[in-house]
Amino acid sequence: MTLKDAKKSFKIWCPQVIDQVHKGQYRPPPTKRVYIDKPGSTVKRPISIPTVIDRVVQAAVAFILQQIYEQDFSDISFGGRPKRSAHQAIGRLNNACYQKVSFVLDADLSDFFGSLDHKWIEKMFSLRLGDPRLLRLLRRWLVVGHIEGDKRIKSTQGAPQGGPISVLISNIYLHYALDLWIEKRLTRQLQGEVHAVRYLDDFVLCVQYAADAEQVQNLVEERLKKFSLRLHPEKTRLIRAGRFAKRDAKRFHEKLESFEFLGFRIYNSQVPRSGIFRLGFKIACKRFCRAVQNTKLLLRRMRHWPVEAQHARLNLTLRGIFQYYGIFGCYDQQRNIHYHIVRYWRKMLSNRSQKGKLNWQKFNLLLKRYPLVKPKTSVTFKQLQALGNCFS
């Protein structure tokens, strides 16, 4: 089907689908279930792929609901929201560690999308939505199920992960289950300061006192249990972090640990000359390996493309990697990524034919004609602080 044929068919079925949605007659078809590799785990992640028409309807409904709920969402949530990035979430966490913080609870939810309770989802949506057509449509998306192989499996729990509506459902669920509870209840239950940052189902809690640190994980687990959620036992850790972490670790003969958040390994560091406390950032080992391996797979797939096309596509990939991991402290690892990719590109160009390998002299001339994007620090320390202050 050409682009013109697709536009013609869209004009034909789009009014019909809109009419069905308005009359409450639209019934979403079951999604296709596929499994993708989960980095750092042998367990695969289930993804539900909706049809083209259903994806358009989900995107339209998600856009409408986003305008309604955006004014209600808390400032501690960043994932899946317009004009809120992962760098802003990391900046907010960085600024929180400069407050009176001594402990950090690095939390991760286990099987989040598969554990969502349908009754709670309907209750949460009904608090703000009065249109029965939208509520009926959301209910149908939850129970429609998926096709796996030749079998159709109906859903009694959880929400499909992969459609445009799934991210909004997760944000609304955690807004009522976690965000409001942290702001209204947890801050009153604990004695010292409490700071939180959430990016989808990954969240970090920063607390001040050791007595608060001892009970905060239990309080969070009890709260999540009420909504059929639980913390991942291996990925959830309570560690010392903050301005006083080094002093307290020496006092109690403990070793300072690091934690991972949004692909970065975060640890206690200091300014080289003055020795003032500062958080340090490195690319997490799993994310480093994933970036290199995915780029190598890309080079392997396109090794028979024209060099101009390879150069444009490879630069697009490298630019995305260096912009995301361009936080101060990660420059050396970016150079390592660049080093591995350059060598592997030469290897793939050498395997294009049986004429022999492309020697380094010719390859360097090729790099002068088609230069690759170089690593850079796109987010400095002051810029990270400014990003963290945007929504505080």
Side-chain angles (χ1 to χ4, degrees):
M1 179 183 291
T2 63
L3 183 60
K4 290 184 178 179
D5 295 336
K7 288 181 178 180
K8 288 181 181 180
S9 62
F10 178 79
K11 291 180 180 179
I12 294 173
W13 59 255
C14 187
Q16 299 175 357
V17 173
I18 293 174
D19 187 58
Q20 291 177 1
V21 172
H22 284 309
K23 292 180 180 179
Q25 299 174 351
Y26 177 76
R27 294 187 175 275
T31 59
K32 180 183 178 181
R33 174 63 59 88
V34 297
Y35 294 90
I36 62 174
D37 294 330
K38 197 172 182 180
S41 176
T42 56
V43 180
K44 293 194 173 184
R45 189 192 304 273
I47 298 294
S48 299
I49 303 176
T51 61
V52 175
I53 297 177
D54 193 42
R55 183 178 290 274
V56 173
V57 177
Q58 286 190 29
V61 174
F63 176 78
I64 296 172
L65 297 183
Q66 187 75 50
Q67 313 308 312
I68 298 173
Y69 282 97
E70 184 60 29
Q71 57 188 335
D72 297 341
F73 285 151
S74 172
D75 283 340
I76 69 174
S77 67
F78 287 86
R81 297 180 59 185
K83 298 181 181 180
R84 285 175 175 256
S85 65
H87 285 174
Q88 290 171 339
I90 295 171
R92 188 181 180 94
L93 174 61
N94 176 75
N95 294 353
C97 289
Y98 280 88
Q99 308 300 319
K100 297 177 182 179
V101 167
S102 298
F103 295 89
V104 169
L105 176 66
D106 177 24
D108 186 88
L109 297 176
S110 179
D111 189 22
F112 171 66
F113 281 96
S115 304
L116 299 180
D117 189 274
H118 288 181
K119 293 182 179 179
W120 275 115
I121 294 176
E122 293 178 15
K123 287 181 181 179
M124 292 171 182
F125 274 100
S126 62
L127 292 175
R128 291 286 278 128
L129 296 181
D131 192 339
R133 295 170 298 179
L134 282 178
L135 294 173
R136 190 184 305 116
L137 186 57
L138 288 166
R139 192 179 304 114
R140 287 174 179 173
W141 273 323
L142 293 175
V143 301
V144 67
H146 59 273
I147 295 176
E148 190 169 349
D150 297 331
K151 296 182 180 179
R152 176 177 177 178
I153 303 173
K154 290 189 175 182
S155 176
T156 57
Q157 187 179 10
Q161 182 180 3
I165 199 68
S166 60
V167 175
L168 183 64
I169 291 176
S170 66
N171 266 338
I172 294 173
Y173 198 90
L174 287 177
H175 170 70
Y176 289 106
L178 191 66
D179 297 350
L180 291 179
W181 174 75
I182 291 175
E183 292 183 342
K184 306 295 183 182
R185 297 290 299 274
L186 185 64
T187 54
R188 297 178 182 178
Q189 289 180 281
L190 302 181
Q191 298 177 0
E193 292 186 7
V194 181
H195 302 275
V197 182
R198 181 178 66 82
Y199 194 93
L200 296 181
D201 59 336
D202 293 334
F203 66 95
V204 175
L205 275 173
C206 306
V207 297
Q208 181 178 357
Y209 296 125
D212 295 339
E214 292 176 358
Q215 58 176 331
V216 66
Q217 185 169 349
N218 294 330
L219 292 173
V220 171
E221 287 178 347
E222 290 177 6
R223 175 67 179 180
L224 294 176
K225 187 177 180 181
K226 182 179 179 181
F227 296 90
S228 303
L229 301 175
R230 62 187 182 91
L231 295 176
H232 197 291
E234 298 178 358
K235 297 182 180 180
T236 302
R237 293 189 308 150
L238 182 67
I239 64 172
R240 291 189 182 272
R243 290 186 297 165
F244 313 108
K246 186 176 181 180
R247 180 199 66 186
D248 295 339
K250 286 184 178 180
R251 180 182 175 187
F252 295 101
H253 304 287
E254 296 177 356
K255 183 180 178 181
L256 284 176
E257 296 182 274
S258 62
F259 65 97
E260 294 183 7
F261 185 61
L262 301 183
F264 292 91
R265 182 172 63 87
I266 306 174
Y267 58 95
N268 284 270
S269 182
Q270 60 186 17
V271 180
R273 293 184 180 180
S274 61
I276 300 174
F277 163 76
R278 185 174 71 180
L279 280 186
F281 295 90
K282 296 290 183 184
I283 303 175
C285 182
K286 294 178 183 177
R287 292 297 188 95
F288 179 92
C289 295
R290 190 202 305 185
V292 173
Q293 292 300 326
N294 288 347
T295 312
K296 285 184 176 181
L297 288 175
L298 174 65
L299 286 171
R300 198 176 304 165
R301 289 197 303 267
M302 65 180 189
R303 62 181 172 178
H304 294 296
W305 293 10
V307 177
E308 295 86 352
Q310 290 190 41
H311 171 253
R313 183 65 180 86
L314 184 57
N315 266 347
L316 190 67
T317 301
L318 289 177
R319 190 176 291 110
I321 293 173
F322 295 152
Q323 284 181 352
Y324 184 79
Y325 294 114
I327 294 181
F328 68 96
C330 301
Y331 181 76
D332 289 341
Q333 290 174 294
Q334 291 186 65
R335 288 183 60 187
N336 288 338
I337 293 175
H338 188 271
Y339 170 81
H340 287 295
I341 298 308
V342 167
R343 294 180 67 87
Y344 199 77
W345 192 25
R346 173 182 168 270
K347 181 179 179 181
M348 290 297 99
L349 291 176
S350 299
N351 293 340
R352 284 158 62 98
S353 66
Q354 299 178 353
K355 294 181 180 179
K357 292 185 177 181
L358 180 65
N359 59 46
W360 278 102
Q361 185 178 2
K362 293 182 179 179
F363 182 66
N364 288 330
L365 292 175
L366 184 141
L367 286 178
K368 288 182 179 180
R369 185 175 181 182
Y370 302 104
L372 293 180
V373 175
K374 294 184 179 180
K376 64 176 182 178
T377 301
S378 56
V379 182
T380 62
F381 174 70
K382 291 184 178 180
Q383 290 174 336
L384 191 65
Q385 283 186 318
L387 287 172
N389 290 329
C390 288
F391 304 100
S392 58

